[in-house]
Amino acid sequence: MVRTFPTVPAPAPVASLDSLDRPGLRGADGATLAAAFAVVLMLSPARLVFRGLPFSLTPADAVGLFAALWWFCAHLTTTLGAAKGSNPVRTALFMYTTAMLATYGYASAAYLPPDELDMADHSIVLVVATVGIGLGACDGIRGRERLDFVLRCLVISGAAVGVIAALQFVLEFDLTKYLAFPGFRFTSELPAILERNTLRRVAATTGHPIELGVVCAMIIPLALHYAFGARDRGEPSLRWWVCCALIGVGLMFSVSRSAVLGLAVVGVVLVAGWPARRRLWAALGGVGFLVGMKVAVPGLMSVFLGLFTSLSSDSSIQYRTHDYAVAATEIGNRFWVGRGLGTWYAPKHLIFDNQYILSLVETGVIGMATFSGIFLTGIWAALRVRRLSSDPAVRDLGLTLAACLVVPLVGAATFDLRSFATVTGLSFLIIGATGSLLRATRRARAPALRPPERPAGETGRGDR
C-alpha cells in the first residue's frame, strides 16, 4: 500500500523591490507619505503648531519626523519598499545632516544660555524632520508614476493656496483663522495680511508674504509641466492651466521682490531647455496673465515696478545691508562650525535677511557649504536625468525640477529661508524627488546597456 501525503503549497514569493516600481501595484508607500506631507505642508497654516509641546512643531514637521522613522525602519528590511543602492541626493542629505549634528554637538558641548540651547534643540529636531522627508521621497517614491502622483498633489495644493491668497487680498478674509483644529494653537507670529504701498500683501497659509511668493515661484514650473504635457498624456489640460493661473495669482498677491526674482530665474532655466514653440506659448500666456492682473487689480503692476526702480532708497534693502559688520565679526569668531544651529534668533539678535550669512554665523563654512550642496546636488541630479533619458516627458520633468530648486538657491540670498517652515519643507521634498527621478531613469535605461546574451554553448575568454 502506497502512502500518500497531502501536497503543501509553496509559499508565495515576496515582492521584490524592483516590482514595486511597476505601475500596477497600489497601496500605501513612500509616495503616499510624501503626498500627505505635501498636502499638510501647503494647506495647514505655518503658524499652526501642536498644543502642549515644549517647542513649536507643525503638522508637517510631525509627518517629516514619521518619514524619518519610516525611512530608518525601511532600510533595516527588504519588504517596506525603500530603494537600496547609492544615490547622490541621499549622500548629499547625509553630509548635510552630519554637518548639522557636528555644529550642534560643538555648540552644546560648551556653555550656551538656556534660551539658545532650547533653540538649538528645537532646530536639530526640525533638521531631522526636513531631512526625513527628503530621504523618504528619495528612497520611498518608486517609479515615475508614483512621483507624478506626489507632484500633482503638490500642484493642486499650491492652487488651493492661491485661492486662500486671493480671498485675503481681495476680500481681506483670512481663511486660515478657521483652521485651528483641536489640539493645536497658533503661534504669535506676523499676521497673514500685511500692507505695502497702500496694497495688501498676503501670506495665505505660509508664514510671510515673501515665503508665499517664493513657494509659488517654486511650484509654477511643475504646474506648467503638467499643463503643457497634458495633450501628450491624453488628458484635459484646462485643469492644469487653472492651477497655473491660481498659483500665479498667489505669487502676485504676495507683492514680493523675492517672488519676482524667483520667477525670473525659473524663466531663464525653462527657456534654455524648452523648444521654440513652447517658449512662444509661454510668453503669450505670461503677457496675457499680466494684462489680466493689471485690469483686475489697478496699481498692482506699478507697485511691482517700484520695487525695482527704487532700490537705492528702499528701506528694506538698507535694512538687509546694515548688519554686515556684525555678521563678519560673528563669522570670524567661529569660522568653520559656527556658534550653533538656531542660536542666532530674533529679537535677541539682529535678523540677517540672507540665509547664506545666517548659515555662516550659525553653522560655519562647513554648514553653509553642505546647505548649498544639497540644492546643487538636486539640480545636478535633475539635469542628469535630461542627459540619460530619451523620453521627452522625463527630460522635461528633469528640467522642471531643476528650475524649482534654482528658486530657493537664489532666494536664500534675499531672506532667511530656513526660518520659514513651508519653503524649507518644500525644498527638501523636491530635492528628494530629484533623487527618485534619477534612480527611476537609471533603472529604465539599464536594460539597454546590458550586453547581449551569448547563444547557448558559446563561451568567451572571460568564461574560462
Side-chain angles (χ1 to χ4, degrees):
M1 179 177 180
V2 179
R3 181 178 298 179
T4 60
F5 297 92
T7 58
V8 179
V14 178
S16 66
L17 291 177
D18 292 345
S19 67
L20 295 173
D21 292 338
R22 292 202 298 266
L25 295 177
R26 285 294 181 270
D29 56 1
T32 308
L33 185 59
F37 175 83
V39 173
V40 173
L41 177 73
M42 299 298 297
L43 298 185
S44 63
R47 298 176 293 117
L48 189 69
V49 298
F50 285 95
R51 188 186 301 274
L53 296 180
F55 50 78
S56 298
L57 194 70
T58 67
D61 293 332
V63 178
L65 290 173
F66 180 80
L69 178 62
W70 173 87
W71 178 88
F72 178 77
C73 293
H75 272 276
L76 298 179
T77 71
T78 59
T79 57
L80 292 181
K84 312 294 183 179
S86 63
N87 189 293
V89 171
R90 186 203 296 144
T91 302
L93 290 171
F94 280 171
M95 295 176 65
Y96 171 76
T97 306
T98 302
M100 296 302 102
L101 290 174
T103 186
Y104 172 76
Y106 177 81
S108 58
Y111 171 76
L112 277 178
D115 57 334
E116 294 187 5
L117 183 59
D118 290 342
M119 292 298 294
D121 294 340
H122 181 208
S123 297
I124 202 66
V125 171
L126 298 184
V127 166
V128 174
T130 53
V131 171
I133 196 60
L135 292 172
C138 179
D139 292 343
I141 303 176
R142 306 299 303 276
R144 166 75 189 286
E145 183 179 356
R146 299 301 285 163
L147 179 59
D148 278 334
F149 166 69
V150 175
L151 297 180
R152 287 173 184 233
C153 289
L154 183 57
V155 171
I156 295 172
S157 300
V161 170
V163 173
I164 296 174
L167 292 174
Q168 292 174 343
F169 186 91
V170 177
L171 303 178
E172 203 171 358
F173 173 71
D174 186 10
L175 182 63
T176 63
K177 291 181 179 180
Y178 301 93
L179 299 179
F181 306 111
F184 295 88
R185 64 179 178 84
F186 283 107
T187 58
S188 57
E189 297 181 4
L190 291 173
I193 303 176
L194 304 174
E195 286 193 7
R196 182 174 222 165
N197 296 339
T198 70
L199 278 179
R200 300 187 188 102
R201 55 187 313 216
V202 300
T205 57
T206 66
H208 192 274
I210 295 178
E211 184 183 21
L212 171 63
V214 174
V215 165
C216 290
M218 292 179 66
I219 301 177
I220 277 181
L222 292 171
L224 291 172
H225 167 75
Y226 290 112
F228 279 119
R231 179 176 297 179
D232 295 335
R233 297 188 303 271
E235 64 182 32
S237 62
L238 179 61
R239 67 188 73 171
W240 299 113
W241 288 117
V242 170
C243 288
C244 291
L246 291 175
I247 296 169
V249 164
L251 185 148
M252 298 297 292
F253 288 164
S254 69
V255 194
S256 168
R257 189 184 293 110
S258 298
V260 177
L261 180 61
L263 192 60
V265 296
V266 162
V268 170
V269 175
L270 294 181
V271 167
W274 275 352
R277 183 179 179 84
R278 182 175 294 190
R279 295 175 190 173
L280 177 61
W281 281 113
L284 293 176
V287 171
F289 176 79
L290 292 178
V291 171
M293 292 299 299
K294 183 175 179 61
V295 173
V297 187
L300 180 61
M301 301 307 299
S302 300
V303 171
F304 270 102
L305 183 62
L307 294 178
F308 294 92
T309 57
S310 60
L311 293 177
S312 59
S313 59
D314 195 312
S315 59
S316 64
I317 296 294
Q318 297 173 357
Y319 182 81
R320 281 173 165 83
T321 59
H322 84 285
D323 49 13
Y324 285 178
V326 176
T329 301
E330 290 294 329
I331 294 170
N333 291 337
R334 300 174 181 86
F335 183 73
W336 292 107
V337 294
R339 70 193 314 273
L341 181 66
T343 59
W344 190 274
Y345 65 96
K348 183 176 181 178
H349 303 288
L350 291 172
I351 297 177
F352 300 130
D353 284 317
N354 185 315
Q355 184 57 53
Y356 296 116
I357 294 178
L358 181 59
S359 294
L360 284 171
V361 170
E362 290 188 337
T363 62
V365 173
I366 296 175
M368 195 274 288
T370 55
F371 173 76
S372 305
I374 56 175
F375 290 99
L376 294 174
T377 304
I379 294 171
W380 176 87
L383 295 179
R384 180 66 175 167
V385 167
R386 282 181 61 82
R387 183 179 179 87
L388 295 177
S389 178
S390 59
D391 185 341
V394 175
R395 288 171 54 82
D396 187 66
L397 182 56
L399 180 70
T400 299
L401 292 177
C404 294
L405 290 180
V406 170
V407 177
L409 185 66
V410 174
T414 64
F415 75 113
D416 45 335
L417 184 143
R418 280 199 72 259
S419 301
F420 296 93
T422 305
V423 68
T424 302
L426 177 60
S427 299
F428 277 82
L429 175 61
I430 295 178
I431 288 170
T434 62
S436 172
L437 181 61
L438 179 61
R439 175 183 291 106
T441 304
R442 285 175 170 173
R443 185 168 306 217
R445 188 171 181 265
L449 299 180
R450 291 173 184 167
E453 296 183 0
R454 296 190 183 95
E458 181 180 340
T459 61
R461 292 183 179 180
D463 297 324
R464 294 176 181 175

